[in-house]
Amino acid sequence: MTTFLVCLFAGLGAGLGTGFAGMSAAAVISPMLIAFLDMEPYQAIGIALASDVLASAVSAYTYGKNKNLDVKNGLVMMVTVMIFTFISSYAASFVPSNTMGGFSTFMTLLLGIKFIVKPVMTTKETMAAADPKKRFVQSMVCGIVIGCICGFVGAGGGMMMLLILTSVLGYELKTAVGTSVFIMTFTAFTGAASHFAIGGMPDLTILVLCVISTLIFARIAAVLANKAPAKLLNQATGVILVILGIAILAMKYL
């Protein structure tokens, strides 16, 4: 498979996952670059994180434009996620690198099934009725939990945020995805910058192809997601997550 096609399909999967479900591009791009282009894992993750930045930013803009973004609590969660990721990252050196890969993939698959079987049908009216102080504290606590998990095992923030925003904080799905990609814009930028600073710049052709393809498909997915009814969006999100989960498992074990 040529470099162009690998980057195109990686960007397609990552962009759809980001725009529809707030999924980190690293879950799709990294394994594809490693499996099909024999790229060194550290550089593959750096490229995936760089692809995440613009894809998440354009998705966050699209969701925000449609009033499906909670900036205030998103900032609270983002700060605590980043702080506790740094604090707990030291422990990651004692955890096998494959541990999170399997965890993140299975989580993607299970979360997809969850959205299909049990859709998130919370409304914005229900969200607005929640106590702002309580939600602030919950956002901080959940950010600590996500940061510790990301720091200890290395990845999975996008899926963890979506799960917690919908299941714990009671967000309706569009606002959960919008807030998730808003947070990921900054966390991915930090991760990409540190990877490039430590490991050097990767292949620029692959980097540009992945960034552009992920950005295009994320934008398309975000526009469609914001126009879709809640039930249809749940089903579409679930199907995409299940397909991506199965595809990543197939690449990993077959």
Side-chain angles (χ1 to χ4, degrees), residues 139-182:
S139 298
M140 187 176 294
V141 172
C142 290
I144 292 171
V145 172
I146 295 170
C148 287
I149 291 174
C150 292
F152 275 112
V153 289
M159 288 296 93
M160 283 299 301
M161 280 188 280
L162 185 61
L163 178 63
I164 286 178
L165 287 169
T166 54
S167 301
V168 178
L169 297 182
Y171 278 57
E172 57 97 22
L173 185 55
K174 291 180 183 179
T175 306
V177 176
T179 305
S180 178
V181 290
F182 171 72

mmCIF file of all heavy atoms in Angstrom, residues 139-182:
data_model
loop_
_atom_site.group_PDB
_atom_site.id
_atom_site.type_symbol
_atom_site.label_atom_id
_atom_site.label_comp_id
_atom_site.label_asym_id
_atom_site.label_seq_id
_atom_site.Cartn_x
_atom_site.Cartn_y
_atom_site.Cartn_z
ATOM 1 N N SER A 139 -16.406 18.391 37.124
ATOM 2 C CA SER A 139 -15.478 18.534 36.003
ATOM 3 C C SER A 139 -14.038 18.425 36.474
ATOM 4 O O SER A 139 -13.195 17.794 35.828
ATOM 5 C CB SER A 139 -15.691 19.878 35.297
ATOM 6 O OG SER A 139 -16.989 19.963 34.756
ATOM 7 N N MET A 140 -13.759 19.024 37.626
ATOM 8 C CA MET A 140 -12.404 18.978 38.169
ATOM 9 C C MET A 140 -12.029 17.554 38.580
ATOM 10 O O MET A 140 -10.940 17.062 38.245
ATOM 11 C CB MET A 140 -12.300 19.918 39.379
ATOM 12 C CG MET A 140 -10.887 20.065 39.924
ATOM 13 S SD MET A 140 -10.815 21.263 41.280
ATOM 14 C CE MET A 140 -11.222 22.776 40.400
ATOM 15 N N VAL A 141 -12.942 16.880 39.283
ATOM 16 C CA VAL A 141 -12.680 15.502 39.730
ATOM 17 C C VAL A 141 -12.493 14.568 38.537
ATOM 18 O O VAL A 141 -11.569 13.751 38.501
ATOM 19 C CB VAL A 141 -13.825 15.005 40.639
ATOM 20 C CG1 VAL A 141 -13.648 13.516 40.944
ATOM 21 C CG2 VAL A 141 -13.875 15.809 41.931
ATOM 22 N N CYS A 142 -13.369 14.716 37.543
ATOM 23 C CA CYS A 142 -13.277 13.860 36.357
ATOM 24 C C CYS A 142 -11.995 14.143 35.581
ATOM 25 O O CYS A 142 -11.380 13.227 35.021
ATOM 26 C CB CYS A 142 -14.495 14.070 35.464
ATOM 27 S SG CYS A 142 -16.031 13.420 36.162
ATOM 28 N N GLY A 143 -11.573 15.409 35.549
ATOM 29 C CA GLY A 143 -10.320 15.751 34.896
ATOM 30 C C GLY A 143 -9.139 15.094 35.582
ATOM 31 O O GLY A 143 -8.199 14.630 34.922
ATOM 32 N N ILE A 144 -9.175 15.032 36.901
ATOM 33 C CA ILE A 144 -8.113 14.371 37.673
ATOM 34 C C ILE A 144 -8.065 12.885 37.329
ATOM 35 O O ILE A 144 -6.992 12.314 37.087
ATOM 36 C CB ILE A 144 -8.338 14.559 39.186
ATOM 37 C CG1 ILE A 144 -8.143 16.035 39.563
ATOM 38 C CG2 ILE A 144 -7.389 13.676 39.997
ATOM 39 C CD1 ILE A 144 -8.542 16.369 40.993
ATOM 40 N N VAL A 145 -9.241 12.260 37.281
ATOM 41 C CA VAL A 145 -9.321 10.823 36.971
ATOM 42 C C VAL A 145 -8.775 10.540 35.574
ATOM 43 O O VAL A 145 -7.945 9.641 35.375
ATOM 44 C CB VAL A 145 -10.783 10.318 37.085
ATOM 45 C CG1 VAL A 145 -10.882 8.881 36.582
ATOM 46 C CG2 VAL A 145 -11.269 10.410 38.525
ATOM 47 N N ILE A 146 -9.227 11.336 34.584
ATOM 48 C CA ILE A 146 -8.773 11.132 33.201
ATOM 49 C C ILE A 146 -7.278 11.381 33.092
ATOM 50 O O ILE A 146 -6.545 10.627 32.436
ATOM 51 C CB ILE A 146 -9.538 12.072 32.241
ATOM 52 C CG1 ILE A 146 -11.019 11.713 32.209
ATOM 53 C CG2 ILE A 146 -8.954 11.978 30.823
ATOM 54 C CD1 ILE A 146 -11.880 12.725 31.481
ATOM 55 N N GLY A 147 -6.785 12.440 33.748
ATOM 56 C CA GLY A 147 -5.361 12.749 33.702
ATOM 57 C C GLY A 147 -4.518 11.635 34.284
ATOM 58 O O GLY A 147 -3.481 11.275 33.723
ATOM 59 N N CYS A 148 -4.957 11.065 35.399
ATOM 60 C CA CYS A 148 -4.210 9.972 36.022
ATOM 61 C C CYS A 148 -4.176 8.745 35.110
ATOM 62 O O CYS A 148 -3.133 8.098 34.953
ATOM 63 C CB CYS A 148 -4.833 9.607 37.369
ATOM 64 S SG CYS A 148 -4.537 10.828 38.667
ATOM 65 N N ILE A 149 -5.321 8.437 34.506
ATOM 66 C CA ILE A 149 -5.372 7.282 33.603
ATOM 67 C C ILE A 149 -4.464 7.514 32.392
ATOM 68 O O ILE A 149 -3.687 6.639 32.002
ATOM 69 C CB ILE A 149 -6.820 7.013 33.154
ATOM 70 C CG1 ILE A 149 -7.658 6.515 34.338
ATOM 71 C CG2 ILE A 149 -6.854 5.981 32.019
ATOM 72 C CD1 ILE A 149 -9.135 6.356 34.037
ATOM 73 N N CYS A 150 -4.542 8.713 31.811
ATOM 74 C CA CYS A 150 -3.703 9.022 30.644
ATOM 75 C C CYS A 150 -2.229 8.991 31.013
ATOM 76 O O CYS A 150 -1.399 8.487 30.258
ATOM 77 C CB CYS A 150 -4.061 10.385 30.075
ATOM 78 S SG CYS A 150 -5.694 10.458 29.316
ATOM 79 N N GLY A 151 -1.892 9.529 32.178
ATOM 80 C CA GLY A 151 -0.506 9.561 32.601
ATOM 81 C C GLY A 151 0.052 8.188 32.912
ATOM 82 O O GLY A 151 1.189 7.874 32.568
ATOM 83 N N PHE A 152 -0.752 7.347 33.539
ATOM 84 C CA PHE A 152 -0.289 6.021 33.916
ATOM 85 C C PHE A 152 -0.166 5.091 32.720
ATOM 86 O O PHE A 152 0.783 4.322 32.627
ATOM 87 C CB PHE A 152 -1.237 5.390 34.943
ATOM 88 C CG PHE A 152 -0.929 5.783 36.355
ATOM 89 C CD1 PHE A 152 -1.806 6.583 37.078
ATOM 90 C CD2 PHE A 152 0.239 5.362 36.968
ATOM 91 C CE1 PHE A 152 -1.523 6.961 38.375
ATOM 92 C CE2 PHE A 152 0.530 5.731 38.268
ATOM 93 C CZ PHE A 152 -0.350 6.532 38.983
ATOM 94 N N VAL A 153 -1.132 5.143 31.819
ATOM 95 C CA VAL A 153 -1.138 4.156 30.745
ATOM 96 C C VAL A 153 -0.950 4.734 29.360
ATOM 97 O O VAL A 153 -0.938 4.009 28.377
ATOM 98 C CB VAL A 153 -2.421 3.303 30.797
ATOM 99 C CG1 VAL A 153 -2.398 2.377 31.983
ATOM 100 C CG2 VAL A 153 -3.657 4.156 30.856
ATOM 101 N N GLY A 154 -0.831 6.066 29.254
ATOM 102 C CA GLY A 154 -0.308 6.649 28.036
ATOM 103 C C GLY A 154 -1.253 7.192 26.999
ATOM 104 O O GLY A 154 -0.835 7.939 26.133
ATOM 105 N N ALA A 155 -2.514 6.841 27.001
ATOM 106 C CA ALA A 155 -3.432 7.335 25.958
ATOM 107 C C ALA A 155 -4.860 7.099 26.387
ATOM 108 O O ALA A 155 -5.130 6.651 27.489
ATOM 109 C CB ALA A 155 -3.150 6.646 24.630
ATOM 110 N N GLY A 156 -5.778 7.358 25.471
ATOM 111 C CA GLY A 156 -7.172 7.054 25.743
ATOM 112 C C GLY A 156 -7.998 8.211 26.242
ATOM 113 O O GLY A 156 -9.151 8.037 26.623
ATOM 114 N N GLY A 157 -7.411 9.438 26.257
ATOM 115 C CA GLY A 157 -8.124 10.577 26.804
ATOM 116 C C GLY A 157 -9.430 10.890 26.107
ATOM 117 O O GLY A 157 -10.415 11.233 26.745
ATOM 118 N N GLY A 158 -9.446 10.794 24.776
ATOM 119 C CA GLY A 158 -10.656 11.129 24.024
ATOM 120 C C GLY A 158 -11.825 10.252 24.388
ATOM 121 O O GLY A 158 -12.935 10.746 24.648
ATOM 122 N N MET A 159 -11.600 8.953 24.435
ATOM 123 C CA MET A 159 -12.670 8.018 24.782
ATOM 124 C C MET A 159 -13.082 8.169 26.237
ATOM 125 O O MET A 159 -14.258 8.100 26.575
ATOM 126 C CB MET A 159 -12.215 6.571 24.520
ATOM 127 C CG MET A 159 -12.115 6.205 23.057
ATOM 128 S SD MET A 159 -13.721 6.258 22.194
ATOM 129 C CE MET A 159 -13.737 7.921 21.535
ATOM 130 N N MET A 160 -12.095 8.382 27.128
ATOM 131 C CA MET A 160 -12.412 8.562 28.539
ATOM 132 C C MET A 160 -13.249 9.817 28.748
ATOM 133 O O MET A 160 -14.212 9.815 29.509
ATOM 134 C CB MET A 160 -11.118 8.670 29.364
ATOM 135 C CG MET A 160 -10.423 7.349 29.621
ATOM 136 S SD MET A 160 -11.466 6.207 30.558
ATOM 137 C CE MET A 160 -11.760 7.147 32.044
ATOM 138 N N MET A 161 -12.898 10.893 28.044
ATOM 139 C CA MET A 161 -13.653 12.139 28.190
ATOM 140 C C MET A 161 -15.088 11.981 27.704
ATOM 141 O O MET A 161 -16.029 12.442 28.346
ATOM 142 C CB MET A 161 -12.953 13.272 27.435
ATOM 143 C CG MET A 161 -11.789 13.867 28.204
ATOM 144 S SD MET A 161 -11.106 15.344 27.445
ATOM 145 C CE MET A 161 -10.082 14.643 26.165
ATOM 146 N N LEU A 162 -15.252 11.335 26.562
ATOM 147 C CA LEU A 162 -16.599 11.147 26.026
ATOM 148 C C LEU A 162 -17.442 10.299 26.960
ATOM 149 O O LEU A 162 -18.616 10.610 27.218
ATOM 150 C CB LEU A 162 -16.530 10.489 24.643
ATOM 151 C CG LEU A 162 -17.872 10.349 23.913
ATOM 152 C CD1 LEU A 162 -18.499 11.709 23.664
ATOM 153 C CD2 LEU A 162 -17.689 9.608 22.590
ATOM 154 N N LEU A 163 -16.860 9.234 27.493
ATOM 155 C CA LEU A 163 -17.584 8.354 28.410
ATOM 156 C C LEU A 163 -17.992 9.102 29.677
ATOM 157 O O LEU A 163 -19.144 9.028 30.118
ATOM 158 C CB LEU A 163 -16.710 7.148 28.769
ATOM 159 C CG LEU A 163 -17.311 6.147 29.769
ATOM 160 C CD1 LEU A 163 -18.569 5.511 29.198
ATOM 161 C CD2 LEU A 163 -16.286 5.086 30.148
ATOM 162 N N ILE A 164 -17.067 9.854 30.260
ATOM 163 C CA ILE A 164 -17.346 10.565 31.508
ATOM 164 C C ILE A 164 -18.310 11.734 31.290
ATOM 165 O O ILE A 164 -19.210 11.982 32.092
ATOM 166 C CB ILE A 164 -16.030 11.035 32.155
ATOM 167 C CG1 ILE A 164 -15.315 9.822 32.772
ATOM 168 C CG2 ILE A 164 -16.278 12.092 33.227
ATOM 169 C CD1 ILE A 164 -13.985 10.120 33.412
ATOM 170 N N LEU A 165 -18.133 12.461 30.195
ATOM 171 C CA LEU A 165 -19.021 13.585 29.921
ATOM 172 C C LEU A 165 -20.471 13.146 29.741
ATOM 173 O O LEU A 165 -21.399 13.822 30.193
ATOM 174 C CB LEU A 165 -18.551 14.342 28.673
ATOM 175 C CG LEU A 165 -17.295 15.205 28.835
ATOM 176 C CD1 LEU A 165 -16.796 15.683 27.477
ATOM 177 C CD2 LEU A 165 -17.558 16.392 29.748
ATOM 178 N N THR A 166 -20.678 12.001 29.092
ATOM 179 C CA THR A 166 -22.043 11.527 28.863
ATOM 180 C C THR A 166 -22.598 10.749 30.055
ATOM 181 O O THR A 166 -23.750 10.942 30.440
ATOM 182 C CB THR A 166 -22.113 10.649 27.602
ATOM 183 O OG1 THR A 166 -21.151 9.579 27.698
ATOM 184 C CG2 THR A 166 -21.827 11.452 26.356
ATOM 185 N N SER A 167 -21.785 9.877 30.633
ATOM 186 C CA SER A 167 -22.288 8.964 31.665
ATOM 187 C C SER A 167 -22.218 9.528 33.076
ATOM 188 O O SER A 167 -23.061 9.219 33.916
ATOM 189 C CB SER A 167 -21.514 7.635 31.618
ATOM 190 O OG SER A 167 -21.657 7.023 30.354
ATOM 191 N N VAL A 168 -21.209 10.347 33.361
ATOM 192 C CA VAL A 168 -21.032 10.871 34.719
ATOM 193 C C VAL A 168 -21.565 12.304 34.844
ATOM 194 O O VAL A 168 -22.321 12.618 35.769
ATOM 195 C CB VAL A 168 -19.540 10.829 35.130
ATOM 196 C CG1 VAL A 168 -19.360 11.414 36.533
ATOM 197 C CG2 VAL A 168 -19.010 9.398 35.072
ATOM 198 N N LEU A 169 -21.186 13.170 33.900
ATOM 199 C CA LEU A 169 -21.596 14.571 33.988
ATOM 200 C C LEU A 169 -22.952 14.839 33.343
ATOM 201 O O LEU A 169 -23.488 15.938 33.453
ATOM 202 C CB LEU A 169 -20.538 15.467 33.347
ATOM 203 C CG LEU A 169 -19.154 15.450 34.022
ATOM 204 C CD1 LEU A 169 -18.209 16.405 33.325
ATOM 205 C CD2 LEU A 169 -19.280 15.812 35.495
ATOM 206 N N GLY A 170 -23.514 13.845 32.653
ATOM 207 C CA GLY A 170 -24.858 13.981 32.103
ATOM 208 C C GLY A 170 -24.980 14.917 30.920
ATOM 209 O O GLY A 170 -26.009 15.555 30.714
ATOM 210 N N TYR A 171 -23.924 15.033 30.104
ATOM 211 C CA TYR A 171 -23.981 15.879 28.907
ATOM 212 C C TYR A 171 -24.785 15.189 27.813
ATOM 213 O O TYR A 171 -24.769 13.962 27.688
ATOM 214 C CB TYR A 171 -22.573 16.130 28.366
ATOM 215 C CG TYR A 171 -21.807 17.227 29.059
ATOM 216 C CD1 TYR A 171 -21.580 17.203 30.440
ATOM 217 C CD2 TYR A 171 -21.273 18.289 28.345
ATOM 218 C CE1 TYR A 171 -20.845 18.197 31.073
ATOM 219 C CE2 TYR A 171 -20.542 19.294 28.968
ATOM 220 C CZ TYR A 171 -20.333 19.236 30.333
ATOM 221 O OH TYR A 171 -19.620 20.223 30.957
ATOM 222 N N GLU A 172 -25.485 16.007 27.005
ATOM 223 C CA GLU A 172 -26.074 15.422 25.804
ATOM 224 C C GLU A 172 -24.929 15.202 24.807
ATOM 225 O O GLU A 172 -23.881 15.840 24.895
ATOM 226 C CB GLU A 172 -27.179 16.316 25.230
ATOM 227 C CG GLU A 172 -26.784 17.719 24.877
ATOM 228 C CD GLU A 172 -26.458 17.856 23.406
ATOM 229 O OE1 GLU A 172 -26.922 17.026 22.615
ATOM 230 O OE2 GLU A 172 -25.740 18.799 23.059
ATOM 231 N N LEU A 173 -25.100 14.286 23.863
ATOM 232 C CA LEU A 173 -23.994 13.766 23.071
ATOM 233 C C LEU A 173 -23.249 14.837 22.281
ATOM 234 O O LEU A 173 -22.016 14.864 22.269
ATOM 235 C CB LEU A 173 -24.505 12.671 22.119
ATOM 236 C CG LEU A 173 -23.427 11.951 21.297
ATOM 237 C CD1 LEU A 173 -22.354 11.361 22.195
ATOM 238 C CD2 LEU A 173 -24.062 10.861 20.436
ATOM 239 N N LYS A 174 -23.969 15.738 21.624
ATOM 240 C CA LYS A 174 -23.290 16.744 20.804
ATOM 241 C C LYS A 174 -22.417 17.659 21.657
ATOM 242 O O LYS A 174 -21.279 17.978 21.284
ATOM 243 C CB LYS A 174 -24.319 17.575 20.024
ATOM 244 C CG LYS A 174 -25.025 16.805 18.929
ATOM 245 C CD LYS A 174 -26.038 17.681 18.196
ATOM 246 C CE LYS A 174 -26.795 16.873 17.148
ATOM 247 N NZ LYS A 174 -27.814 17.694 16.441
ATOM 248 N N THR A 175 -22.922 18.078 22.815
ATOM 249 C CA THR A 175 -22.137 18.938 23.697
ATOM 250 C C THR A 175 -20.947 18.173 24.268
ATOM 251 O O THR A 175 -19.868 18.739 24.464
ATOM 252 C CB THR A 175 -23.008 19.479 24.841
ATOM 253 O OG1 THR A 175 -24.169 20.114 24.297
ATOM 254 C CG2 THR A 175 -22.240 20.487 25.682
ATOM 255 N N ALA A 176 -21.133 16.874 24.527
ATOM 256 C CA ALA A 176 -20.038 16.046 25.038
ATOM 257 C C ALA A 176 -18.916 15.942 24.013
ATOM 258 O O ALA A 176 -17.730 16.092 24.346
ATOM 259 C CB ALA A 176 -20.556 14.652 25.389
ATOM 260 N N VAL A 177 -19.277 15.696 22.755
ATOM 261 C CA VAL A 177 -18.261 15.590 21.701
ATOM 262 C C VAL A 177 -17.584 16.940 21.481
ATOM 263 O O VAL A 177 -16.353 17.026 21.366
ATOM 264 C CB VAL A 177 -18.882 15.084 20.384
ATOM 265 C CG1 VAL A 177 -17.835 15.079 19.267
ATOM 266 C CG2 VAL A 177 -19.445 13.675 20.559
ATOM 267 N N GLY A 178 -18.386 18.015 21.425
ATOM 268 C CA GLY A 178 -17.824 19.346 21.230
ATOM 269 C C GLY A 178 -16.843 19.730 22.321
ATOM 270 O O GLY A 178 -15.761 20.267 22.055
ATOM 271 N N THR A 179 -17.207 19.445 23.562
ATOM 272 C CA THR A 179 -16.329 19.757 24.696
ATOM 273 C C THR A 179 -15.091 18.882 24.678
ATOM 274 O O THR A 179 -13.980 19.339 24.979
ATOM 275 C CB THR A 179 -17.092 19.575 26.018
ATOM 276 O OG1 THR A 179 -18.291 20.361 25.994
ATOM 277 C CG2 THR A 179 -16.242 19.999 27.213
ATOM 278 N N SER A 180 -15.253 17.611 24.289
ATOM 279 C CA SER A 180 -14.134 16.682 24.226
ATOM 280 C C SER A 180 -13.085 17.128 23.209
ATOM 281 O O SER A 180 -11.890 17.149 23.497
ATOM 282 C CB SER A 180 -14.645 15.277 23.881
ATOM 283 O OG SER A 180 -13.570 14.362 23.758
ATOM 284 N N VAL A 181 -13.527 17.509 21.998
ATOM 285 C CA VAL A 181 -12.555 17.925 20.977
ATOM 286 C C VAL A 181 -11.926 19.279 21.334
ATOM 287 O O VAL A 181 -10.776 19.546 20.962
ATOM 288 C CB VAL A 181 -13.192 17.982 19.567
ATOM 289 C CG1 VAL A 181 -13.496 16.579 19.076
ATOM 290 C CG2 VAL A 181 -14.443 18.847 19.529
ATOM 291 N N PHE A 182 -12.671 20.118 22.048
ATOM 292 C CA PHE A 182 -12.119 21.394 22.525
ATOM 293 C C PHE A 182 -10.934 21.138 23.452
ATOM 294 O O PHE A 182 -9.867 21.742 23.314
ATOM 295 C CB PHE A 182 -13.213 22.181 23.252
ATOM 296 C CG PHE A 182 -12.713 23.402 23.974
ATOM 297 C CD1 PHE A 182 -12.317 24.527 23.269
ATOM 298 C CD2 PHE A 182 -12.645 23.428 25.366
ATOM 299 C CE1 PHE A 182 -11.858 25.664 23.934
ATOM 300 C CE2 PHE A 182 -12.192 24.546 26.031
ATOM 301 C CZ PHE A 182 -11.791 25.670 25.325
#
